[in-house]
Structure formats: C-alpha cells, structure tokens
Amino acid sequence: MSSHTESDTISLADLSATHRDLLWVLSQTGPSESGPLHHVLTDYYTDGIDHTRVCDTLEELIERDYVTKHTHDPTKYRLTESGRRALSARQAWQADTHITEGSRE
C-alpha cells in the first residue's frame, strides 16, 4: 500500500528528471515497452542511459501510481490518471513560471 497522499500525486517536484522524462515520453507515445522507452531516452541524453535504470525508474513510477503495466500486455507500460494529472499540473506550473519570470525586475 502506498503512503503517498493526494497532494503527492499531483506534484512531480520530488522526482528526478529521468522520472519526469519517462512520464513525458509515455504521454506522447502511449503504452510502450521498456526497450523503446530506453531508446528514446538514449537518443535524448547525451551520456546515454542504462536500460536497467529505465526499468528501475518505471517500477518506481508504478509504486507512485503514475504508471501501470498494460492490462492486456504486461510488458507494456502506460500512464495512469494520476500520472496524467501530475504532468498537467507540472505543465501548468512551467507555463506560469515562464510567464512570471519575464516580469521580474
């Protein structure tokens, strides 16, 4: 059982960039296996990323209820509704931060 509260499920602030990037890729690709996710991140990260790290990160996202294994194909991962809400909240925060950043003196 997870010890995360509802407020935890809408904030990605305590996650690493790898966690957030995996969520973003899943939001863009839909259900996917770890191999293609690893490939996308390897293309993005200049130093590359280990496939085991991708799998471990996916498992951590499952524990937080941001990702689940696909019902009909347990080798595929997909975003949960909590994951979608958390990404939306982060995008809103990023948009707000971008707007207010230009107004600083």
Side-chain angles (χ1 to χ4, degrees), residues 56-103:
D56 291 346
T57 302
L58 285 165
E59 290 303 316
E60 292 167 8
L61 292 170
I62 288 171
E63 289 175 14
R64 290 177 165 264
D65 192 37
Y66 292 134
V67 171
T68 188
K69 290 188 179 179
H70 199 272
T71 306
H72 301 293
D73 185 352
T75 64
K76 287 190 176 182
Y77 298 87
R78 67 175 178 84
L79 283 181
T80 62
E81 188 56 38
S82 295
R84 284 184 190 78
R85 285 195 313 265
L87 276 175
S88 291
R90 179 157 178 90
Q91 289 170 324
W93 174 80
Q94 287 173 313
D96 186 50
T97 301
H98 178 69
I99 292 168
T100 58
E101 188 175 296
S103 63

Side-chain angles (χ1 to χ4, degrees), residues 36-49:
L37 295 170
H38 172 248
H39 182 73
V40 170
L41 291 180
T42 298
D43 286 348
Y44 178 68
Y45 292 133
T46 55
D47 292 338
I49 186 168

Side-chain angles (χ1 to χ4, degrees), residues 2 9 13 18 29 49 51 57 64 70 95:
S2 176
T9 63
T18 305
T29 63
I49 186 168
H51 186 262
T57 302
R64 290 177 165 264
H70 199 272

